[in-house]
C-alpha cells in the first residue's frame, strides 16, 4: 500500500531554475507566434547528435541546473528508489535467455549473464548442447556511457556475424563484421547506418540503410566485404524527404525487400538475394494513402494491403511474373472491423495475426487446402504474437502469449499435428502469483459516444471503492496499439495499492484502422478527450477517484500528456511525460528536423496548409499553456534524441513555470548520455523507472497539498 510521509507543501520546495526569456517572434499564415525559449534549441543541433560535447555551454548549464533541481526535489525518495530498483531487479531472471531458434546446423539465441547489462549473442549445435558466444554485449559496451546493440545477423554460411551499435544515443549505428572462427572483427566498418543488415546469399556482401545529413534513412547501399564503406554501391535512394526507407527480407530468403513509406503510403522493391547488386524490381508504384507489404511463396507474392477501400487490410496474391496491382487477386477479403496486422508464409502454411475489438488472434491457413484454424485465448485482455524464426520449410510456429496477470509464455505449435510444446514460461525470481491479481477490460464512453477500451490490473485485495490511486498509461498515435501484456515493473506500484490501467484511445488501431483515422490530423482532439474519458470512467466505476490519477505517456504519448495537462489539470494528481513531443507546431514548421517531413501525413503540414496550422495550433501543448494551476509534472528527455529533441521538454517546462498560476512542481530531467529510449542497459533503465514511480508515489501522497495551496 501507499507509504505515508510528511506532505511536501510548496513553501518547502526549493526554487526552480528560471530560463531567461529571449523574445522571438515570427508570423505564419498571418498569425504572430511568440517563442521566447527558442534559444534552447542549439544552432548546431546536428553536431550535438553526433557529439554531445558540442552542446553550447549556456544550454548545458541550464539543463544541468534543471537536473540538479529535480534531484533536490526528489532527494527524499532516494531510499524508496533503491527499494524500487531492488524489487524490479528481483523480478528479473538475471541469466535469462531466449528460446533457441534453429537455422540449418545451428540454433541461435541471446542471453544475459548474471549482473550483465547487455545481451550475449550465442548459438549452439542444432541438436545438442555446446554454447558458443558470438558477441559479448557487455564487453562491446565497456568504456561507453551509452551503448545500444542494434542488430546481430549471422551470414547464410554461418561464418560471419554482422552487428551494429550506437554509442551516443543518437541512433547513428556503426556496422561491423565478426569472423566467427577467430572471434575478431574484420576491418570493415560502416558508419551512419540505421542499424539493420540483410546479407546477400553469397555471404560476402550485405545491404543496409544509410542515414543522410538530416538523420533520415533514405539510401540503401550494398557493402562488399574487404572494401571501404566509401565504395559501397548505391542501390536505392528515396527522392521524397517525407518517405523513410527500410530493408528486410522475405521469409523464403529469396528476396531482399526495400520498403519506402510514410504513415499513409508505401512502395516496395525486390532484389534477388542470390544476385547482389542487381537492380531493384518495383512491385507496384506508390499511390496516395495506399499501403502494402509483401511476402513470397513459390511463384507468387503474398500481399497485405488496404487497396480498393480495404480499410482494415486484406491479403492478395500476385504472380512473380506480373507484379502490378492489376494482377492482384484477393486471398483473404477485407472484413470491416477485423484488422490484419501482419502475416508470414511458411512452406505449407500461411499465418496471419488479426485483431477484433482490441483482442488479437492468430489464424493459420493451410496453403494446399485453404483450411483455417484459429489460435485464441479466453482472458478478458491479453497480448499475442508469433515468431516465424529463420526457416521457411518448417511446420513449427512459435507463439508468444501473456496478459497483465500472466507471465509471458513461449509455445511451439506443430502446424501439421496441432501439438503444442511450451518452450519457456517467464520466471519471476522473487515470486509471482497470478491469482493474487485481477485483470479487467472495461470501456469508457467518449464525448462523441465511442466506446474506448481500458485494460487494467490490481491486487485482489485492493478496495474498489474509489480510494485506490491509479497510474493511467496512454499513447494514441501512428496506429500503434498498446498490448495488455505482462509487465513486471508495474507490480511495484500495483503491490503498493495502485490500479494500473492502459487507455486504448483513438490514434491507435486497437479497434481497427478507423480507430486510428479517428485520432489523427483534424480528429486529433479525440485522442485527448478519449484519455480524459478513460480517467473519468475509472473514477466513476470507483477503481480510483479524480485527483488520485497519475497519467503517463512517452514520445507522441508525451504530447498526449501535455494536452491533457492543459485540458483537465485538476483530474490528475501528477503527469509523467517521457521524451514528450510537446512543441508540435514549431517542430512541424521546421522541415530540416529529422522526422518532420514524414510526420506531415500524421499531423498535417502547418507551413503549407492553413487548416493544418490552425488545427495543430489548437492543441500543441507548448502553444496552449495557460494561466492556471497545473499538477506536478515530471518531464524526461535525452540530449541526443533524434526523434523528440531535447529542447521540446526543456522549452515546455520553462513556459509552464513562467505561465502557471499555481500547483506543480514542474520537474525536468535530461539524460545527457542517452537519446529517445533513455538508458540502454537493462538495470540502468530500472533507475529511470524507479524515478518515475517514486514521482508517482510522491504525486499521490506528498505534492497534493502543494497543488491545492
Amino acid at each position: 500500500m501507499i507509504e505515508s510521509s510528511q506532505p511536501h507543501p510548496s513553501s518547502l520546495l526549493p526554487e526552480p531554475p528560471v530560463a531567461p526569456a529571449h523574445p522571438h517572434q515570427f508570423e505564419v499564415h498571418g498569425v504572430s507566434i511568440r517563442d521566447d525559449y527558442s534559444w534552447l534549441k542549439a544552432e548546431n543541433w546536428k553536431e550535438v547528435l553526433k557529439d554531445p560535447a558540442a552542446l553550447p555551454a549556456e544550454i548545458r548549464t541550464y539543463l544541468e541546473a534543471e537536473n540538479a533541481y529535480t534531484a533536490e526535489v526528489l532527494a527524499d525518495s532516494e531510499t524508496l528508489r533503491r527499494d524500487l530498483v531492488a524489487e524490479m531487479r528481483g523480478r528479473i531472471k538475471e541469466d535469462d535467455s531466449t528460446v533457441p531458434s534453429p537455422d540449418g546446423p545451428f540454433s541461435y539465441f541471446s542471453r544475459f549473464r548474471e549482473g550483465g547489462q547487455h545481451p550475449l549473442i550465442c548459438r549452439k549445435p542444432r541438436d545438442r548442447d555446446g554454447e558458443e558466444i558470438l558477441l559479448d554485449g557487455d564487453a562491446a559496451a565497456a568504456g561507453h556511457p551509452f551503448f545500444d546493440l542494434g542488430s546481430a545477423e549471422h551470414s547464410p554460411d554461418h561464418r560471419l556475424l554482422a552487428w551494429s551499435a550506437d554509442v551516443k544515443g543518437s541512433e547513428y549505428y556503426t556496422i561491423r563484421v565478426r569472423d566467427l572462427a577467430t572471434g575478431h572483427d574484420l576491418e570493415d566498418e560502416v558508419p551512419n547506418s540505421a542499424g539493420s543488415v540483410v546479407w546477400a546469399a553469397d555471404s560476402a556482401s550485405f545491404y543496409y540503410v544509410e542515414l543522410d545529413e538530416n538523420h533520415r534513412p533514405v539510401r540503401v547501399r550494398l557493402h562488399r566485404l574487404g572494401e571501404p564503406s566509401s565504395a559501397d554501391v548505391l542501390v536505392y535512394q528515396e527522392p521524397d524527404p517525407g518517405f523513410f526507407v527500410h530493408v528486410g527480407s522475405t521469409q523464403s530468403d529469396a528476396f531482399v525487400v526495400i520498403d519506402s513509406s510514410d504513415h499513409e503510403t508505401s512502395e516496395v522493391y525486390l532484389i534477388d538475394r542470390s544476385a547482389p547488386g542487381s537492380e531493384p524490381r518495383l512491385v507496384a508504384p506508390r499511390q496516395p494513402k495506399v499501403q502494402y507489404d509483401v511476402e513470397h511463396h513459390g511463384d507468387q507474392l503474398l500481399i497485405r494491403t488496404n487497396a480498393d477501400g480495404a480499410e482494415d487490410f486484406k491479403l492478395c496474391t500476385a504472380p512473380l511474373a506480373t507484379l502490378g496491382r492489376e494482377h492482384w487477386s484477393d486471398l483473404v477479403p477485407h472484413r470491416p472491423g477485423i484488422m490484419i496486422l501482419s502475416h508470414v508464409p511458411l512452406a505449407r502454411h500461411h499465418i496471419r495475426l488479426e485483431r477484433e475489438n482490441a483482442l488479437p488472434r492468430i489464424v493459420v491457413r493451410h496453403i494446399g487446402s485453404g483450411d483455417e484454424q484459429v489460435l485464441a485465448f479466453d482472458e478478458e485482455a491479453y497480448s499475442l504474437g508469433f515468431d516465424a524464426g529463420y526457416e521457411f520449410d518448417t511446420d513449427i510456429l512459435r507463439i508468444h502469449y501473456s496478459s497483465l496477470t500472466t507471465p509471458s509464455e513461449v509455445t511451439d505449435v506443430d502446424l501439421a499435428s496441432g501439438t503444442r510444446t511450451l518452450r519457456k514460461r517467464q520466471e519471476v525470481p522473487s515470486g509471482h502469483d497470478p491469482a493474487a491479481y485481477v485483470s479487467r477490460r472495461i470501456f469508457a464512453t467518449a464525448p462523441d459516444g465511442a466506446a474506448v477500451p481500458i485494460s487494467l490490473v490490481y491486487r485482489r485485495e485492493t478496495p474498489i471503492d474509489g480510494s485506490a490511486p491509479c497510474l493511467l498509461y496512454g499513447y494514441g498515435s501512428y496506429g500503434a496499439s498498446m498490448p495488455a501484456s505482462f509487465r513486471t515493473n508495474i507490480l511495484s506500484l500495483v503491490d503498493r495499492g495502485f490500479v494500473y490501467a492502459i487507455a486504448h484511445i483513438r490514434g491507435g488501431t486497437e479497434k481497427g484502422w478507423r480507430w486510428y483515422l479517428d485520432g489523427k490530423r483534424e480528429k486529433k482532439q479525440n485522442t485527448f478527450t478519449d484519455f480524459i474519458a478513460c480517467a473519468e470512467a475509472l473514477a466513476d466505476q470507483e477503481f480510483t477517484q479524480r485527483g488520485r490519477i497519475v497519467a503517463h505517456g512517452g514520445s507522441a504519448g508525451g504530447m498526449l500528456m501535455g494536452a491533457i495537462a492543459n485540458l483537465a489539470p485538476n483530474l490528475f494528481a501528477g503527469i509523467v511525460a517521457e521524451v514528450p513531443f510537446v512543441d508540435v507546431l514549431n517542430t512541424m514548421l521546421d522541415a530540416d528536423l529529422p522526422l518532420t517531413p514524414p510526420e506531415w501525413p500524421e499531423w498535417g503540414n502547418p507551413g503549407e496548409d492553413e487548416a493544418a496550422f490552425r488545427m495543430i495550433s489548437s492543441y500543441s501543448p507548448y502553444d496552449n499553456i495557460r494561466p492556471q494551476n497545473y499538477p506536478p509534472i515530471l518531464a524526461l528527455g535525452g540530449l541526443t534524441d533524434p526523434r523528440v529533441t531535447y529542447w521540446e521538454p526543456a522549452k515546455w517546462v520553462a513556459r509552464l513555470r513562467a505561465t502557471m498560476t499555481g500547483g506543480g512542481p514542474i520537474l525536468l530531467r535530461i539524460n545527457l548520455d542517452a537519446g529517445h529510449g533513455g538508458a540502454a542497459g537493462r538495470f540502468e533503465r530500472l533507475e529511470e523507472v524507479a524515478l518515475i514511480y517514486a514521482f508517482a508515489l510522491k504525486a499521490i501522497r506528498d505534492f497534493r497539498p502543494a497543488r491545492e495551496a
Side-chain angles (χ1 to χ4, degrees):
M1 295 302 168
I2 306 298
E3 293 95 336
S4 61
S5 70
Q6 287 297 108
H8 207 328
S10 56
S11 60
L12 299 181
L13 291 173
E15 286 298 316
V18 176
H22 296 174
H24 174 66
Q25 207 152 327
F26 59 99
E27 191 173 287
V28 181
H29 299 298
V31 177
S32 180
I33 299 170
R34 183 167 179 168
D35 184 7
D36 291 348
Y37 302 101
S38 63
W39 65 271
L40 285 166
K41 174 187 175 183
E43 293 183 5
N44 64 336
W45 62 266
K46 294 181 185 179
E47 185 183 355
V48 173
L49 281 180
K50 293 187 175 183
D51 180 11
L55 185 70
E58 181 186 18
I59 298 174
R60 180 175 293 276
T61 298
Y62 174 71
L63 297 181
E64 289 174 344
E66 288 285 3
N67 286 352
Y69 172 68
T70 296
E72 186 176 359
V73 171
L74 299 179
D76 61 348
S77 69
E78 287 184 8
T79 299
L80 171 62
R81 280 181 276 158
R82 283 196 298 269
D83 291 344
L84 289 167
V85 169
E87 287 174 16
M88 293 186 287
R89 186 163 179 166
R91 299 188 194 103
I92 296 173
K93 188 175 187 295
E94 294 209 6
D95 58 350
D96 202 7
S97 64
T98 62
V99 178
S101 186
D103 186 18
F106 297 100
S107 289
Y108 290 84
F109 62 101
S110 65
R111 70 172 179 86
F112 289 90
R113 61 167 54 91
E114 190 94 14
Q117 294 273 12
H118 303 281
L120 311 177
I121 308 301
C122 308
R123 72 182 177 190
K124 67 183 189 66
R126 182 173 184 136
D127 298 318
R128 63 182 191 276
D129 294 332
E131 176 188 87
E132 179 185 0
I133 297 177
L134 310 181
L135 178 69
D136 185 331
D138 289 321
H144 298 292
F146 178 92
F147 177 86
D148 181 44
L149 181 63
S151 65
E153 300 291 338
H154 60 272
S155 59
D157 64 6
H158 303 278
R159 294 186 306 105
L160 303 168
L161 184 79
W163 64 281
S164 63
D166 165 25
V167 296
K168 300 290 187 184
S170 56
E171 299 180 41
Y172 281 105
Y173 290 87
T174 297
I175 301 169
R176 297 174 175 84
V177 179
R178 180 154 298 185
D179 184 332
L180 298 180
T182 66
H184 298 300
D185 289 337
L186 307 179
E187 292 185 3
D188 300 71
E189 191 171 291
V190 179
N192 300 330
S193 85
S196 58
V197 170
V198 177
W199 283 97
D202 62 5
S203 296
S205 55
F206 60 79
Y207 295 88
Y208 67 94
V209 175
E210 181 182 47
L211 304 179
D212 69 4
E213 60 278 2
N214 284 338
H215 201 283
R216 294 172 186 155
V218 296
R219 290 185 284 270
V220 176
R221 291 192 183 273
L222 176 69
H223 177 77
R224 292 187 170 92
L225 298 183
E227 296 185 2
S229 61
S230 59
D232 289 352
V233 177
L234 179 63
V235 176
Y236 175 82
Q237 177 150 352
E238 173 53 50
D240 188 334
F243 276 59
F244 280 8
V245 176
H246 309 273
V247 66
S249 63
T250 58
Q251 181 69 21
S252 67
D253 282 338
F255 296 102
V256 176
V257 179
I258 297 173
D259 172 270
S260 188
S261 60
D262 62 13
H263 294 294
E264 295 181 334
T265 305
S266 62
E267 183 175 74
V268 174
Y269 295 80
L270 299 178
I271 301 174
D272 185 341
R273 204 171 179 188
S274 65
S278 57
E279 283 294 312
R281 182 183 178 193
L282 176 63
V283 174
R286 65 189 68 174
Q287 294 186 15
K289 299 188 178 182
V290 173
Q291 300 181 61
Y292 69 96
D293 55 65
V294 304
E295 271 290 355
H296 165 244
H297 190 280
D299 60 357
Q300 291 186 323
L301 291 186
L302 299 172
I303 303 166
R304 186 185 75 107
T305 183
N306 66 348
D308 308 313
E311 186 172 84
D312 287 314
F313 291 80
K314 62 179 179 177
L315 293 178
C316 302
T317 61
L320 272 176
T322 53
L323 298 179
R325 273 189 56 190
E326 65 273 16
H327 301 290
W328 294 6
S329 300
D330 286 3
L331 176 67
V332 179
H334 176 238
R335 297 152 298 160
I338 301 176
M339 186 171 176
I340 300 176
L341 302 170
S342 62
H343 70 118
V344 67
L346 300 175
R348 289 164 289 280
H349 300 89
H350 188 195
I351 300 100
R352 66 184 188 266
L353 180 65
E354 301 180 342
R355 185 167 53 236
E356 183 178 15
N357 202 25
L359 284 178
R361 61 174 175 249
I362 294 172
V363 182
V364 180
R365 181 186 186 94
H366 189 275
I367 290 176
S369 67
D371 294 340
E372 293 189 348
Q373 58 175 308
V374 177
L375 306 176
F377 296 82
D378 293 331
E379 291 192 72
E380 283 188 37
Y382 58 84
S383 173
L384 181 65
F386 65 76
D387 176 9
Y390 293 110
E391 298 186 323
F392 179 71
D393 188 6
T394 180
D395 292 321
I396 302 299
L397 177 69
R398 183 162 292 167
I399 64 173
H400 300 259
Y401 172 84
S402 75
S403 74
L404 289 171
T405 59
T406 306
S408 174
E409 296 177 349
V410 180
T411 302
D412 281 352
V413 180
D414 188 320
L415 301 177
S417 66
T419 60
R420 301 188 184 191
T421 304
L422 180 65
R423 298 298 306 275
K424 179 182 178 181
R425 180 176 284 118
Q426 181 181 354
E427 295 181 44
V428 182
S430 60
H432 174 70
D433 178 12
Y437 301 87
V438 177
S439 176
R440 294 286 309 278
R441 167 66 58 81
I442 65 170
F443 291 85
T445 302
D448 63 357
V452 185
I454 306 170
S455 300
L456 54 93
V457 63
Y458 53 89
R459 284 195 68 89
R460 194 167 295 277
E461 68 267 22
T462 297
I464 305 304
D465 59 3
S467 64
C470 175
L471 186 75
L472 178 60
Y473 182 84
Y475 188 75
S477 291
Y478 305 115
S481 62
M482 297 296 106
S485 55
F486 189 65
R487 298 159 165 83
T488 59
N489 288 343
I490 60 103
L491 296 177
S492 286
L493 287 182
V494 172
D495 287 347
R496 286 173 168 80
F498 270 72
V499 172
Y500 176 76
I502 304 169
H504 302 289
I505 51 185
R506 279 176 284 189
T509 53
E510 282 89 342
K511 295 179 71 173
W513 197 253
R514 175 58 52 182
W515 200 244
Y516 166 50
L517 296 179
D518 284 348
K520 68 179 293 191
R521 295 188 67 140
E522 65 277 1
K523 297 182 178 181
K524 191 62 203 171
Q525 291 283 0
N526 285 337
T527 301
F528 317 138
T529 54
D530 281 3
F531 189 87
I532 292 169
C534 288
E536 298 276 6
L538 287 164
D540 290 342
Q541 297 183 43
E542 296 193 323
F543 290 102
T544 187
Q545 62 183 265
R546 292 160 182 82
R548 285 181 67 75
I549 302 169
V550 177
H552 183 198
S555 197
M559 177 195 65
L560 167 67
M561 296 299 101
I564 59 107
N566 291 331
L567 293 170
N570 294 328
L571 186 56
F572 301 101
I575 293 175
V576 178
E578 294 191 76
V579 289
F581 178 36
V582 283
D583 194 13
V584 184
L585 182 61
N586 282 310
T587 294
M588 288 298 101
L589 286 169
D590 189 345
D592 288 336
L593 291 173
L595 294 186
T596 293
E599 296 289 287
W600 287 331
E602 181 76 13
W603 315 105
N605 182 346
E608 300 293 331
D609 181 349
E610 185 173 352
F613 168 79
R614 296 192 181 279
M615 174 54 62
I616 293 172
S617 297
S618 73
Y619 67 75
S620 175
Y622 179 67
D623 299 282
N624 284 276
I625 295 169
R626 62 195 70 171
Q628 62 181 359
N629 278 21
Y630 278 85
I633 292 174
L634 174 63
L636 303 173
L639 179 60
T640 54
D641 186 349
R643 298 172 183 265
V644 178
T645 50
Y646 74 85
W647 58 82
E648 293 213 21
K651 289 171 58 178
W652 181 50
V653 164
R655 181 175 274 185
L656 275 167
R657 289 211 200 102
T659 308
M660 61 194 282
T661 55
I666 309 298
L667 307 178
L668 172 67
R669 183 178 182 273
I670 299 293
N671 191 326
L672 300 176
D673 295 313
H676 196 66
R682 58 176 178 158
F683 301 131
E684 292 171 341
R685 173 58 183 162
L686 295 183
E687 301 283 348
E688 296 179 342
V689 177
L691 183 75
I692 291 168
Y693 289 176
F695 172 83
L697 288 159
K698 286 180 70 65
I700 292 296
R701 75 188 183 198
D702 292 350
F703 290 147
R704 187 170 183 174
R707 189 174 66 254
E708 294 176 346

